[in-house]
């Protein structure tokens, strides 16, 4: 039995917000075509057909939708995708996920998401002030209140969701406020996404995370999280889960955590396929899903080139006690959470030094909290 994961951008880089740190707005600006618009039905049909070519009875498939803002493709688009999947003859377990800013979600959307068991990643930046500072509509107005209304709808409908929080340099200074917000809103699952500089940046932005701010935030968060865990309350924090899964369960649950790139199969609205969401660029286009299966695309030279490309690791990595389980980490995240070349400080190393000694205690407390 095999599992295939595909990330689909049905509305390309189209978005109804103007977030100050949007990494995909930066990536799309570096392409010949900034946006491919909304995915057409003939592309969608070919996409589902060619994805299923490489699957057999009993296999599993994850279809995740992202943007831009994927809901701009329209609710009918998603209904058609589900109908096309259901029409396939092979007995494949299909899991759906969508990442959204939540702005246009209404009861019709909620009914569909619940009925089809979508896992939703809802973007909320951990605190009203910082959310409204960066996640604004085209008129510059904050969107916190609207997104919180969407969260309330998800709770009402019993939709499974995770909170996606972009960890900027300024937000990283407020771990106590962020954790208090998590508790007040009874958030059970949260992922902090390191805020990155633009791919073509020549100097650091004011909002991009640094290894120092990464380490300081997570070390303080670890203390707060452990206190909550000691009281029998388990909150899933994605990075903490990933480290425990890797070291205690020998499970790799995060791309790049071992320093090795994987082909992600990112499909843009025109059907073009790329190996990684951080590199949806013309030079990394592997081909088109209308013309090739995923296996055929994987066997092309561009995919091998991407997998084998790796910058030389800093000298600090060669003497790091965690080198074997990190190997420099994700190459796109290196300036945000790994080594600061100016100070030779590694944020991830600092976190692991604090976190690893706590793993036996964490395992015991987690099991108790889940009973």
């Amino acid at each position: 039995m095999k599992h295939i994961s595909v990330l689909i951008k049905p509305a390309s880089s189209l978005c109804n917000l103007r977030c100050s740190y949007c990494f995909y707005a930066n990536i799309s600006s570096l392409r010949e075509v900034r946006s491919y618009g909304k995915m057409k039905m003939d592309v969608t049909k070919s996409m589902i057909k060619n994805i299923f070519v490489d699957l057999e009875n009993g296999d599993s498939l994850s279809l995740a939708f992202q943007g831009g803002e994927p809901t701009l493709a329209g609710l009918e688009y998603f209904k058609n995708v589900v109908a096309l999947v259901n029409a396939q003859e092979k007995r494949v377990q299909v899991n759906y996920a969508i990442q959204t800013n939540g702005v246009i979600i209404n009861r019709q959307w909620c009914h569909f998401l619940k009925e089809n068991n979508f896992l939703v990643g809802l973007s909320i930046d951990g605190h009203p002030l910082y959310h409204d500072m960066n996640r604004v509509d085209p008129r510059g107005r904050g969107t916190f209140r609207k997104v919180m209304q969407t969260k309330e709808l998800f709770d009402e409908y019993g939709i499974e969701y995770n909170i996606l929080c972009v960890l900027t340099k300024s937000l990283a200074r407020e771990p106590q406020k962020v954790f208090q917000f998590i508790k007040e809103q009874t958030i059970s699952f949260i992922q902090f996404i390191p805020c990155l500089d633009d791919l073509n940046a020549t100097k650091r932005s004011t909002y991009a995370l640094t290894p120092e701010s990464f380490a300081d935030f997570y070390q303080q968060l670890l203390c707060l999280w452990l206190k909550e865990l000691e009281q029998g309350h388990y909150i899933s924090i994605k990075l903490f889960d990933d480290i425990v899964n890797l070291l205690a369960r020998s499970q790799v649950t995060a791309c790049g955590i071992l320093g090795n790139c994987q082909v992600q199969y990112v499909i843009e609205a025109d059907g073009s396929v790329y190996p990684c969401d951080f590199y949806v660029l013309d030079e990394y286009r592997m081909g088109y899903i209308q013309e090739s299966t995923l296996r055929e695309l994987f066997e092309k030279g561009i995919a091998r080139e991407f997998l084998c490309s790796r910058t030389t690791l800093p000298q600090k990595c060669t003497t790091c006690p965690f080198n074997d389980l990190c190997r420099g980490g994700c190459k796109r995240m290196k300036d945000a959470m790994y080594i600061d070349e100016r100070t030779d400080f590694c944020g991830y190393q600092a976190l692991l030094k604090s976190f690893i000694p706590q793993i036996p205690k964490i395992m015991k407390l987690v099991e108790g909290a889940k009973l």
Side-chain angles (χ1 to χ4, degrees), residues 12-13 24-26 28-36 268:
S12 191
S13 62
Y24 205 65
N26 169 239
S28 61
S29 73
L30 301 176
R31 300 189 308 223
E32 197 171 303
V33 177
R34 181 184 288 265
S35 174
Y36 298 103
E268 254 287 4

Side-chain angles (χ1 to χ4, degrees), residues 191-196 204 209-211 214 255-256 278-279 310 328-339 348:
Q191 177 179 354
F192 295 99
I193 302 169
C195 185
L196 305 175
R204 277 197 173 276
L209 196 65
T210 65
F214 166 89
C255 180
F278 289 134
Y279 296 94
R310 181 73 197 186
C330 171
K331 62 184 179 184
R332 184 66 177 95
M333 297 282 188
K334 62 184 179 66
D335 295 331
M337 58 181 283
Y338 296 103
I339 295 178
Y348 191 54

Side-chain angles (χ1 to χ4, degrees), residues 54-222:
D54 295 324
L55 293 165
E56 304 295 339
N57 290 333
D59 288 345
S60 63
L61 169 67
S62 292
L63 295 179
F65 299 88
Q66 199 185 63
E69 174 50 39
T71 58
L72 294 183
L75 183 54
E76 285 303 312
Y77 167 85
F78 289 92
K79 289 180 178 179
N80 287 331
V81 168
V82 172
L84 288 167
V85 168
N86 291 342
Q88 301 301 309
E89 294 182 359
K90 294 176 182 176
R91 297 189 303 277
V92 172
Q93 174 63 46
V94 180
N95 300 304
Y96 298 104
I98 186 171
Q99 179 176 334
T100 178
N101 58 38
V103 170
I104 67 171
I105 297 292
N106 56 23
R107 291 187 177 276
Q108 288 74 29
W109 273 100
C110 288
H111 179 76
F112 170 81
L113 296 171
K114 179 63 177 177
E115 184 179 39
N116 293 284
N117 299 311
F118 269 69
L119 171 63
V120 182
L122 180 63
S123 295
I124 304 177
D125 274 1
H127 188 276
L129 173 65
Y130 294 96
H131 181 104
D132 282 344
M133 186 186 302
N134 293 303
R135 303 189 64 82
V136 298
D137 67 15
R139 295 185 179 181
R141 299 173 299 189
T143 58
F144 179 80
R145 186 170 64 174
K146 176 65 185 86
V147 179
M148 291 303 294
Q149 291 171 351
T150 296
K151 178 186 175 298
E152 291 173 6
L153 277 178
F154 288 166
D155 289 331
E156 178 184 338
Y157 278 81
I159 292 168
E160 189 177 356
Y161 66 93
N162 300 336
I163 297 302
L164 305 175
C165 175
V166 176
L167 188 60
T168 59
K169 187 177 180 180
S170 56
L171 186 62
R173 300 190 189 105
E174 306 287 358
Q176 292 186 335
K177 288 183 179 179
V178 171
F179 197 72
Q180 185 62 35
F181 174 79
I182 292 170
K183 292 201 300 179
E184 287 174 355
Q185 296 300 324
T186 59
I187 292 168
S188 300
F189 300 90
I190 187 164
Q191 177 179 354
F192 295 99
I193 302 169
C195 185
L196 305 175
D197 269 318
D198 288 348
L199 198 59
N200 56 339
T202 56
K203 62 178 183 179
R204 277 197 173 276
S205 66
T206 57
Y207 49 76
L209 196 65
T210 65
E212 290 83 0
S213 54
F214 166 89
D216 186 54
F217 174 81
Y218 268 108
Q219 286 174 323
Q220 292 189 57
L221 190 69
L222 176 60

